[in-house]
């Protein structure tokens, strides 16, 4: 098996993310789209980005497995999840509906897993070039425009929670599932946000731009990189029962949902208890 260092793998992922952003920035007209089986949109840009990333992985790490959101007819031959200790998990274009509407917030999420645990994670917003990344055992690094360096280790991670009126929670759109009752009650107490990108919601928790994030309908490619960013920053990211979010090898959970709740340590217990009616 090809040996590598985590900084090397992260630099490789950063290069791929920049290539992904170049694909969407090169378009001069609103993209056409098709509907997948779950009725969500998919564009040729989604497929093109995934093809570029998968091909690069096949050339650089041919013995690593690969799991991407999209189905690619001419995908390069890579091991399937479960056939390697390492697995790249990729959402080529998170926020496809934003993309088709011209709403300028879209990202690529790339994670490298060893077994069930992410060891490299990166989320790259295409239009601003802002990027948030981490490797196992290290802190969170942010670069690009629009956001400061990671703040979770500062005041938002302190023992004193922020003023209640200042708490910002990123919430799901709930298109296909009923909104949790607690979200209706949160509307009266906190500031709620939804930018249409689950991966970016998680990156925003990692940076302290939002205090918490919750999602019901999300797959491994939505959460793998964000989970590492949040935990590397000192935050908490669990399932809706408070149990560890990522415990199974990708081969066992490639298509299952990963509902999660993530937050700064300063507000996790308070908001989690409210979510569960405590």
């Amino acid at each position: 098996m090809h040996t590598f260092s985590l900084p090397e793998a992260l630099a490789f992922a950063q290069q791929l993310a920049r290539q992904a952003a170049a694909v969407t920035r090169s378009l001069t007209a609103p993209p056409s789209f098709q509907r997948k089986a779950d009725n969500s949109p998919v564009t040729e840009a989604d497929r093109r980005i995934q093809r570029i990333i998968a091909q690069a992985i096949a050339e650089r790490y041919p013995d690593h497995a690969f799991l991407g959101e999209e189905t690619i007819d001419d995908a390069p031959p890579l091991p399937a999840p479960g056939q390697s200790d390492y697995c790249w998990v990729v959402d080529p274009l998170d926020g496809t509906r934003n993309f088709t509407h011209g709403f300028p917030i879209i990202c690529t999420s790339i994670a490298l897993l060893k077994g069930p645990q992410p060891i490299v994670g990166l989320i790259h917003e295409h239009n601003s070039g802002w990027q948030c990344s981490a490797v196992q055992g290290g802190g969170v690094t942010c670069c690009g425009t629009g956001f400061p360096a990671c703040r979770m280790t500062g005041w938002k991670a302190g023992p004193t929670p922020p003023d209640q009126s200042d708490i910002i929670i990123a919430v799901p759109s709930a298109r296909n599932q009923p909104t949790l009752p607690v979200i209706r009650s949160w509307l009266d107490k906190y500031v709620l946000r939804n930018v249409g990108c689950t991966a970016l919601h998680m990156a925003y928790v990692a940076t302290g731009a939002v205090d918490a994030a919750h999602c019901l309908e999300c797959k491994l490619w939505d959460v793998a990189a964000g989970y590492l960013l949040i935990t590397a920053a000192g935050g908490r990211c669990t399932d809706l029962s408070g149990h560890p979010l990522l415990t199974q090898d990708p081969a066992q959970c490639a298509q299952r949902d990963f509902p999660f709740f993530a937050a700064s340590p300063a507000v996790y217990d308070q908001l989690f208890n409210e979510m569960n009616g405590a």
Side-chain angles (χ1 to χ4, degrees), residues 49 58 74 83 109 131 142 147 157 161 209 215 217 228 240 246:
I49 291 169
D74 55 346
Q83 296 178 348
S109 176
Q131 185 181 105
C142 301
F147 285 86
C215 190
E217 298 175 291
L228 177 60
L240 301 190
L246 301 181

Side-chain angles (χ1 to χ4, degrees), residues 70-129:
E70 309 305 340
T71 300
I72 307 297
D73 293 335
D74 55 346
L78 281 164
Q83 296 178 348
S84 171
D85 292 338
Y86 297 95
C87 183
W88 292 87
V89 179
V90 174
D91 189 341
L93 184 56
D94 190 21
T96 300
R97 185 169 281 102
N98 286 356
F99 183 49
T100 62
H101 280 256
F103 189 77
I105 299 180
I106 55 177
C107 73
T108 292
S109 176
I110 301 174
L112 174 60
L113 276 60
K114 183 177 183 182
Q117 292 300 308
I119 58 174
V120 173
L122 173 149
I123 294 170
H124 183 98
E125 203 287 310
H126 288 204
N127 293 293
S128 67

Side-chain angles (χ1 to χ4, degrees), residues 218-233:
C218 43
K219 304 295 186 185
L220 185 58
W221 47 76
D222 294 307
V223 303
Y227 174 84
L228 177 60
L229 299 180
I230 291 167
T231 55

Side-chain angles (χ1 to χ4, degrees), residues 131-143:
Q131 185 181 105
C132 188
S133 63
V135 298
Q136 186 181 56
V140 174
T141 299
C142 301
C143 61

